[in-house]
Amino acid sequence: MENLEQVHLQVKEIFYPPEDIKKECIVQDYESMYKKSIENPEEFWSEVASQLHWFQKWDKVLEWNFPYAKWFVNGKTNITYNCLDANIEKGRRNKVAYISVDEEGNEKKLTYGELLEQVNRLANGLKSLGVSKGDRVSIYMPNTVEAVISMLACARIGAIHSVVFAGFSEGALKLRINDAKAKVVITATYTKRRGKKIPLLPIVKEAIYDLDFVKNVIVWDRDRELEESEFSKKFVSFEELIKTSSPYFNPEVMDSEDPLFILYTSGTTGKPKGVLHTVGGYMVNTYLTTKTVFNIKEDTVYWCTADIGWITGHSYIVYGPLLNGTTIVMMEGVPVYPHPGIWWEYVDKYRVNVFYTAPTAIRMLMRFGDEIPAKYDLSSLKILGSVGEPINPEAWLWYYKNIGRGKAVVVDTWWQTETGAHMITTLPCYPAKPGKAGKPLFGVVPDIVDKEGNSLPPNTIGHLVIKKPWPSMLRTCWGEPERYEKYWKEIPGNVYSAGDLATIDEDGYIMILGRADDVLSVAGHRIGNAEVESAIIEHPAVAEAAVIGKPNEIKGESIKAFVVLKEGYTPSAELVEEIKETVKEVLGAIAVPDEIEFVDKLPKTRSGKIMRRVLRAKELGQELGDISTLED
Ligand code: WTA
């Protein structure tokens, strides 16, 4: 990490929250609240959980049988009761829950009362198709409120949802549906990007044609363009199902440790991991982090630009904000269409107070110039969130100055699919250091250690670990408990290994530097090197492939692939295009390599493992490091 020095130089300046924001902060004294959460977790979490509705109170806050945790043991609840019914009981029936907009300004608003009704109807609809508690339902939907209704309807009946990002293609979708053995798939005819319709239904059809366990596909026919004949016993209309089902439904009583959802995420092997989250702990921590990190008040208007296909969408478009009864903006489309000021136009239009996005988007929008955001009234903004990858100080400052206009605070939130909720950040009441995520949130005990698990002194690069269980931690990897256990066994000391490199400074601020393992971060999306490699190998001409990440100013990393062709094939521009097309089909556009280089062979260890590290060092003109294990 040769540029660490430079980064440290740039982040010397400390930014204090403006007085008016500080005054409004729900958490005024981070230090003492944090201390309590660590010294007296039982009492701390009991107090937080008591702010939510439980059909039956828990007996014990935590049962820790390394590496398996149970939180709020024997507590009974339903997360949707807290997301919906509880808000209505608090007088929010007519409060807008979602403003779901597309790129063209078409909007759909749903109040808490309306959302509850829609969710109940779909819950009844799912039941009528034979879905019950514990069954899996895959959701392959555009980033619209219909996707949210689908997720909540599952949670209402106790079915486990598995949302698949609608940018993934049929190979990736099939793998996920198959692994979860989903009984039902919920999809739409299309999603929209840059004004174009991107079909979804045909992809689902291809993905499931030989998966007999998929009993039904529920299709949201957005423009009512499907012929009557396209519906059948198997293919059911989303709108009809909602229309013809009862608006009343008693939420299933769920044990705190019953599964809530599976979300697949990239690991170091070709097959993604099905990260499993359970009801109680996930609910309590997404509730608390949303409230404290984004300082949610009764009149807050909140916008997270993520997609429901990722964990950020799950925790911070759906569950966390709903648990806090807030008004949520969500958008289908890209940040630059129909013009690169569309996000700021919507911030202005909806008077957004909390805006949460990824550094890759900030870096991209920066390029269009300061004049673009300057055209809009962004004075409603109070909190600007960042997530998904390290935010470089330059982007941090641009966000702070040109979007927040120096009157909003930036919260850089570090967390993962596995952690379920924010883990490290700088709360809005607390002084921020650009480029450093900040301090641990409540109940989180991080450390920076070497490979043997020894704590490292300040400003030394090491592995980020978490030393104690936390409520929203993953409980297992679906069907692969050994992969779950690996997180806790990777580094000695019974600690959770995050797979990230980080440093901590004298003041206890943590700076995340990037992944320590073979996982890429492309435009904030997590993609495994091995996933891309196995997609490339599906092309009939390819014998072997190795994929590396190269630093990229906007996307964080870009993908370069080294490809060895089979006998009888010669490198050509057509082959490059064909291989890219293969990756697009197997995984989706986000995983397509930017560069493909044909080589005669790949550097390998004597045991046959491809040394991506060597390829990367060569590509970037760096020292090769230890190559003693290299084959030749
Ligand atoms: C990276 C996304 C630096 C990190 C919520 C982590 C970050 C991976 C930050 C998880 C941040 C996330 N600063 N890096 N604020 N937030 N990351 O599972 O490498 O899609 O391990 O979850 O994103 O990605 P995931």
Side-chain angles (χ1 to χ4, degrees):
M1 217 42 69
E2 64 281 26
N3 55 2
L4 183 64
E5 290 274 288
Q6 280 170 352
V7 177
H8 271 302
L9 284 179
Q10 285 181 46
V11 293
K12 282 225 169 102
E13 197 177 350
I14 295 179
F15 288 77
Y16 293 87
E19 268 315 307
D20 55 326
I21 290 192
K22 193 157 183 219
K23 258 204 317 256
E24 280 186 9
C25 282
I26 292 170
V27 175
Q28 288 284 341
D29 185 358
Y30 157 76
E31 310 274 357
S32 66
M33 193 163 155
Y34 177 72
K35 193 156 174 262
K36 178 173 171 183
S37 76
I38 302 304
E39 287 173 2
N40 202 343
E42 187 83 18
E43 190 186 323
F44 179 89
W45 290 112
S46 280
E47 276 173 23
V48 179
S50 300
Q51 295 167 32
L52 296 161
H53 173 274
W54 298 78
F55 299 115
Q56 179 187 303
K57 212 187 146 185
W58 55 95
D59 303 331
K60 207 171 155 199
V61 165
L62 169 66
E63 213 172 87
W64 180 223
N65 269 321
F66 177 84
Y68 291 97
K70 286 184 179 168
W71 283 87
F72 308 104
V73 183
N74 291 326
K76 309 281 179 212
T77 186
N78 186 298
I79 195 167
T80 70
Y81 191 97
N82 283 296
C83 289
L84 303 167
D85 313 61
N87 284 313
I88 289 167
E89 285 160 19
K90 286 176 194 150
R92 297 180 181 134
R93 180 179 290 280
N94 298 317
K95 178 172 178 174
V96 173
Y98 283 96
I99 306 172
S100 182
V101 286
D102 68 9
E103 304 160 317
E104 275 121 20
N106 302 306
E107 64 173 35
K108 178 167 176 177
K109 285 186 183 172
L110 232 60
T111 63
Y112 274 90
E114 289 164 341
L115 184 61
L116 173 64
E117 187 190 318
Q118 299 276 307
V119 169
N120 277 344
R121 285 176 181 274
L122 187 58
N124 279 313
L126 285 169
K127 279 251 146 163
S128 73
L129 296 175
V131 182
S132 53
K133 185 174 170 180
D135 286 341
R136 274 80 58 208
V137 174
S138 294
I139 298 176
Y140 187 65
M141 287 282 270
N143 197 47
T144 62
V145 73
E146 286 74 12
V148 178
I149 294 168
S150 304
M151 292 164 76
L152 295 173
C154 290
R156 193 111 176 130
I157 67 178
I160 306 168
H161 60 69
S162 165
V163 181
V164 182
F165 174 55
F168 278 127
S169 49
E170 68 250 21
L173 175 63
K174 180 171 192 167
L175 190 148
R176 287 159 175 77
I177 296 174
N178 192 20
D179 192 71
K181 295 283 175 293
K183 204 172 193 176
V184 166
V185 179
I186 307 180
T187 191
T189 37
Y190 65 86
T191 180
K192 247 187 303 189
R193 279 172 84 81
R194 295 176 187 271
K196 284 202 198 74
K197 290 185 186 179
I198 318 258
L200 297 179
L201 181 57
I203 295 175
V204 172
K205 283 186 176 164
E206 278 197 37
I208 64 154
Y209 84 98
D210 60 346
L211 302 180
D212 297 334
F213 49 83
V214 178
K215 293 276 176 292
N216 289 103
V217 178
I218 303 174
V219 188
W220 175 33
D221 182 7
R222 296 183 72 170
D223 296 339
R224 297 177 201 219
E225 58 192 353
L226 295 181
E227 304 282 336
E228 193 74 21
S229 60
E230 296 197 57
F231 292 107
S232 58
K233 265 192 121 156
K234 185 160 186 170
F235 288 83
V236 180
S237 155
F238 182 86
E239 285 186 305
E240 279 298 309
L241 198 58
I242 286 188
K243 209 162 72 193
T244 55
S245 301
S246 155
Y248 304 101
F249 189 91
N250 280 332
E252 185 77 31
V253 174
M254 302 291 285
D255 186 85
S256 179
E257 282 301 329
D258 278 335
L260 175 62
F261 65 82
I262 303 168
L263 182 58
Y264 287 87
T265 190
S266 297
T268 50
T269 67
K271 183 174 175 282
K273 310 184 238 202
V275 167
L276 183 85
H277 282 286
T278 57
V279 175
Y282 177 83
M283 174 176 84
V284 171
N285 210 20
T286 51
Y287 163 72
L288 179 68
T289 50
T290 305
K291 187 181 177 117
T292 54
V293 175
F294 298 130
N295 209 32
I296 302 292
K297 297 287 173 66
E298 191 55 50
D299 59 355
T300 299
V301 178
Y302 168 98
W303 182 11
C304 167
T305 69
D307 188 285
I308 43 108
W310 310 112
I311 191 68
T312 307
H314 283 60
S315 301
Y316 299 107
I317 294 177
V318 185
Y319 293 110
L322 287 177
L323 290 166
N324 283 277
T326 194
T327 295
I328 305 149
V329 178
M330 68 188 296
M331 179 184 161
E332 177 185 20
V334 298
V336 290
Y337 183 88
H339 59 82
I342 186 73
W343 278 5
W344 320 129
E345 184 184 317
Y346 287 162
V347 166
D348 184 342
K349 178 171 177 190
Y350 296 114
R351 310 307 300 143
V352 173
N353 308 116
V354 179
F355 182 77
Y356 191 28
T357 194
T360 185
I362 299 168
R363 289 191 298 263
M364 179 174 64
L365 293 172
M366 251 167 86
R367 293 223 153 172
F368 289 94
D370 304 354
E371 342 50 274
I372 306 257
K375 283 192 248 172
Y376 301 95
D377 176 359
L378 306 181
S379 60
S380 57
L381 289 171
K382 293 181 177 171
I383 296 187
L384 302 173
S386 174
V387 61
E389 47 182 322
I391 179 164
N392 48 311
E394 192 197 355
W396 194 103
L397 287 169
W398 188 84
Y399 199 27
Y400 179 79
K401 288 186 181 145
N402 291 279
I403 307 305
R405 317 247 157 104
K407 297 196 170 82
V409 296
V410 174
V411 291
D412 174 9
T413 59
W414 176 84
W415 60 295
Q416 308 177 295
T417 306
E418 294 87 340
T419 70
H422 299 154
M423 298 292 277
I424 295 171
T425 193
T426 306
L427 283 180
C429 64
Y430 212 76
K433 299 187 185 185
K436 296 191 176 180
K439 300 212 169 184
L441 274 163
F442 310 114
V444 177
V445 185
D447 199 4
I448 314 293
V449 301
D450 62 18
K451 277 200 173 125
E452 283 70 51
N454 306 305
S455 295
L456 293 171
N459 301 318
T460 318
I461 299 172
H463 297 268
L464 175 61
V465 297
I466 311 292
K467 295 164 87 169
K468 289 226 162 85
W470 64 100
S472 58
M473 62 190 256
L474 78 164
R475 298 302 195 265
T476 192
C477 294
W478 186 253
E480 298 180 301
E482 61 292 346
R483 282 182 104 178
Y484 168 73
E485 292 183 7
K486 208 167 157 231
Y487 287 99
W488 294 91
K489 295 190 171 155
E490 190 85 2
I491 290 179
N494 291 1
V495 294
Y496 168 87
S497 169
D500 279 324
L501 294 172
T503 64
I504 185 163
D505 70 14
E506 303 76 11
D507 302 326
Y509 283 68
I510 293 169
M511 176 160 75
I512 315 292
L513 301 162
R515 300 289 306 184
D517 53 10
D518 287 327
V519 175
L520 302 159
S521 172
V522 181
H525 300 317
R526 188 168 152 183
I527 302 167
N529 300 51
E531 265 177 298
V532 183
E533 288 161 3
S534 29
I536 292 174
I537 293 170
E538 296 214 4
H539 189 284
V542 176
E544 271 187 318
V547 157
I548 61 163
K550 284 172 75 172
N552 178 287
E553 239 184 85
I554 292 180
K555 298 198 284 186
E557 273 184 309
S558 64
I559 304 177
K560 171 152 188 183
F562 296 87
V563 172
V564 180
L565 293 174
K566 285 184 189 154
E567 283 285 315
Y569 289 93
T570 37
S572 68
E574 288 84 62
L575 260 182
V576 168
E577 286 318 305
E578 280 182 30
I579 291 170
K580 286 187 178 179
E581 196 49 41
T582 304
V583 178
K584 195 168 163 196
E585 271 164 33
V586 177
L587 285 176
I590 52 168
V592 173
D594 300 85
E595 281 176 81
I596 293 179
E597 184 178 328
F598 295 106
V599 291
D600 292 335
K601 61 178 183 175
L602 297 168
K604 287 189 190 159
T605 60
R606 284 185 199 102
S607 57
K609 223 175 147 219
I610 295 171
M611 291 182 87
R612 300 185 186 102
R613 180 172 65 76
V614 171
L615 284 169
R616 191 167 186 275
K618 253 187 102 183
E619 179 72 22
L620 303 179
Q622 295 168 343
E623 300 263 320
L624 290 186
D626 177 16
I627 47 168
S628 56
T629 56
L630 199 63
E631 192 182 34
D632 67 343

